[in-house]
Amino acid sequence: MDANEGPRVWQAEEGLHVDVRGLPCPEPMVTVLQLIDSGMAEDFLVAHLSQEPLLLYPELNERGWRHRLRMTDQPTHVALEMTRPRA
Amino acid sequence: MTAFLASAKSRLLPASVPFRFFAAASVLHVALWVALIFAAGEFTQFRGGVGKSLAAVHLLTVGVLVMTAAGASVQLLPVATSRPLAAVAPIKIVFWLLAPGALALVGGMGFGHVGAMIVGATACVLGLLLFAVLFADNLRRSASMPLVQAYGWAAFVSLILLLALGLALAFDNCIGFLSDHAGLALLHMILGAFGFMGLLALGFSHVLVPMFALASAPKGRLAWVGFFLATATVALASTGAFFGNALVLSASCLLGLAAIAVHVQLMRATLKKGMRKRLGLSFVLVKISWAMLALTPLVGLAALYGLPGGATLFGLVALGGWLMTFLFAILQRIAPFLASMHVTRASGGPVLLSDLGASAPLTVHAWCHLAALAGLSVAIVLDNAILAALASAVGLASSLAFATFIAGIVKRVASGTT
């Protein structure tokens, strides 16, 4: 993805995905939180990033979302799976 | 089947690395206000020269501002640029040169000991040169943030010139080879406050303000106009100081007003479109620091055209009102943020930012900090030493409150739990 392009969002069978690779800091974090706070992500979201989103973790914790890294086959591709536990 | 990874956190430094800088800055912040109490008799008329006032100024600049900026930069720059620092050991060397170097420098200045001053200045310069190398290496490998990179490179150039001048000024106290010590001291101040620290603060604002407000970073033509105006202001002011030309210095103040107007407009627009509207006490301080930044060129102009105490007031508004207020506002946001990545909750589950850092000390710090700056400003205009001492005592209360806040976070990071 080119840095001038916006994020790519698509619906997969398991839930919403967003690709924010190539976006400058803090755009990846802002895009993910926009999807969560707007309700678009509902209870599940996978973000595709070019690095581990360290600054995002405290924000997810504050919102009660859990997160874990998925293994990918590219060193510059990090997939973060985020879920909101059902009450 | 999906496979999962443990968090690598490859760009996260050991907590002890950034927090040693923050802890040292907090202690030297206390020392700054103590030094100002002792310097109250001469500070209101400070025009440069070795003594307690010069020591207090360098406690602020090297001890508080540079120490905080170095600690924050080594952790935040790799996260922002997506490029890890080359190694951790050199950052520790930066600290072990800078911290004792700052103590020797201010001790030498305060007690008029030229040898200690030169040893301290040399250690600080070596530490900051190493920091500059690490900083430049990270900027060089970054590709995704051209505007922040541009601010970073301009700050880097200012830092190199600032260090060369600082060392020359220190040695000049011993061998007297500079023809215009006062003029070069003003150039040193401009390169430090507006070149290195100022451009670093403006550049990082393009990442930190949107990060905390949850907004897109400023971009486009206006953001670049802001950069060119800011760097042109520093270049013009440096030229004016070097040649001792009041007209050029006046022009740099006017250009600076335009640069500030663009920066504040960009930041206001960022806050307006941010998802997080309630930004708390830290952003009250950030906004006050922007007001102080806007006041700086006006006080500079007044000083050039004869305002009593104008030069001292200019230094106070720029270094204390703008930079110190801004850095403490940002530090009170990023310290809990960084700590949250290094600790676990004793009761289980993820760490919340609200678990880290007490709010009462920050409230005391904010009120006392602002009251101290206001009191010192009045003391300078009235040339009143007693008022300066009282204001410094209030400043001391602010520094103790902030040190309590940082100590609470360091204690949690050291224990590893909240």
Side-chain angles (χ1 to χ4, degrees), chain A residues 22 24-27 29-30 33-34 37 51-55 57-59 61-63 68-72 81, chain B residues 2-5 7-9 11 79 82 144 211 214-217 219 275-276 337 340-341 350-353:
Chain A
C25 182
E27 305 286 343
M29 178 176 86
V30 171
L33 294 176
Q34 271 172 344
D37 290 352
Q51 60 172 333
E52 192 182 353
L54 298 175
L55 302 176
Y57 294 156
E59 298 287 349
N61 293 343
E62 290 290 320
R63 287 162 173 77
R68 54 183 180 172
L69 288 172
R70 284 183 177 181
M71 192 176 282
T72 66
E81 181 183 299
Chain B
T2 306
F4 294 97
L5 292 167
S7 175
K9 297 190 176 179
R11 283 158 296 110
V79 172
S82 314
S144 63
M211 189 180 100
L214 299 179
S216 296
K219 44 184 166 283
M275 287 193 288
R276 184 179 282 134
F337 219 87
S340 73
M341 298 174 195
V351 177
L352 303 181
L353 292 178

Side-chain angles (χ1 to χ4, degrees), chain B residues 208-282:
Chain B
L208 292 170
V209 172
M211 189 180 100
F212 291 127
L214 299 179
S216 296
K219 44 184 166 283
R221 190 178 296 171
L222 190 61
W224 281 103
V225 168
F227 166 74
F228 286 116
L229 285 172
T231 47
T233 300
V234 174
L236 197 61
S238 300
T239 307
F242 185 77
F243 291 107
N245 188 315
L247 203 62
V248 176
L249 285 169
S250 304
S252 74
C253 289
L254 296 176
L255 195 60
L257 275 174
I260 293 161
V262 171
H263 179 73
V264 172
Q265 174 55 30
L266 287 167
M267 294 297 118
R268 281 188 60 198
T270 301
L271 293 181
K272 196 173 174 185
K273 67 188 176 193
M275 287 193 288
R276 184 179 282 134
K277 298 298 179 192
R278 297 179 68 180
L279 289 160
L281 180 63
S282 65

Side-chain angles (χ1 to χ4, degrees), chain B residues 17-375:
Chain B
V17 175
F19 277 97
R20 75 183 63 195
F21 285 93
F22 300 155
S26 298
V27 171
L28 293 172
H29 182 209
V30 175
L32 157 69
W33 289 109
V34 172
L36 274 175
I37 292 172
F38 285 103
E42 59 176 61
F43 178 73
T44 54
Q45 296 180 5
F46 178 58
R47 300 286 181 275
V50 172
K52 295 187 195 78
S53 296
L54 190 67
V57 169
H58 284 81
L59 271 169
L60 171 58
T61 53
V62 184
V64 179
L65 302 180
V66 172
M67 197 71 80
T68 305
S73 299
V74 294
Q75 179 57 83
L76 290 178
L77 193 64
V79 172
T81 60
S82 314
R83 299 288 184 273
L85 287 173
V88 176
I91 307 164
K92 294 180 182 174
I93 298 172
V94 169
F95 178 80
W96 288 115
L97 284 167
L98 193 57
L103 288 177
L105 179 71
V106 298
M109 287 171 169
F111 297 107
H113 193 294
V114 176
M117 197 169 22
I118 288 174
V119 168
T122 306
C124 288
V125 166
L126 289 174
L128 288 172
L129 277 177
L130 183 55
F131 169 77
V133 170
L134 294 170
F135 185 77
D137 175 62
N138 197 276
L139 281 179
R140 184 181 58 78
R141 290 183 286 126
S142 167
S144 63
M145 309 177 75
L147 183 66
V148 178
Q149 263 184 304
Y151 273 107
W153 283 119
F156 170 81
V157 171
S158 299
L159 175 61
I160 300 299
L161 296 173
L162 161 77
L163 295 178
L165 266 177
L167 203 57
L169 288 165
F171 275 97
D172 191 52
N173 287 301
C174 179
I175 50 181
F177 65 102
L178 297 176
S179 59
D180 181 13
H181 188 102
L184 292 177
L186 176 61
L187 176 56
H188 176 69
M189 184 268 180
I190 286 169
L191 285 169
F194 302 98
F196 173 51
M197 285 302 307
L199 294 174
L200 204 59
L202 297 186
F204 268 124
S205 294
H206 286 73
V207 175
L208 292 170
V209 172
M211 189 180 100
F212 291 127
L214 299 179
S216 296
K219 44 184 166 283
R221 190 178 296 171
L222 190 61
W224 281 103
V225 168
F227 166 74
F228 286 116
L229 285 172
T231 47
T233 300
V234 174
L236 197 61
S238 300
T239 307
F242 185 77
F243 291 107
N245 188 315
L247 203 62
V248 176
L249 285 169
S250 304
S252 74
C253 289
L254 296 176
L255 195 60
L257 275 174
I260 293 161
V262 171
H263 179 73
V264 172
Q265 174 55 30
L266 287 167
M267 294 297 118
R268 281 188 60 198
T270 301
L271 293 181
K272 196 173 174 185
K273 67 188 176 193
M275 287 193 288
R276 184 179 282 134
K277 298 298 179 192
R278 297 179 68 180
L279 289 160
L281 180 63
S282 65
F283 267 74
V284 173
L285 289 177
V286 166
K287 288 174 185 171
I288 290 172
S289 80
W290 289 338
M292 293 295 108
L293 171 61
L295 203 56
T296 302
L298 299 176
V299 178
L301 279 173
L304 283 169
Y305 294 97
L307 175 76
T312 314
L313 195 59
F314 174 71
L316 179 72
V317 173
L319 297 171
W322 170 36
L323 286 171
M324 183 159 64
T325 307
F326 180 77
L327 281 190
F328 279 126
I330 295 299
L331 184 56
Q332 64 187 255
R333 292 298 290 248
I334 61 174
F337 219 87
L338 293 179
S340 73
M341 298 174 195
H342 293 282
V343 296
T344 54
R345 228 177 184 187
S347 58
V351 177
L352 303 181
L353 292 178
S354 48
D355 295 338
L356 294 154
S359 61
L362 291 179
T363 307
V364 173
H365 162 260
W367 282 108
C368 291
H369 172 80
L370 297 174
L373 289 177

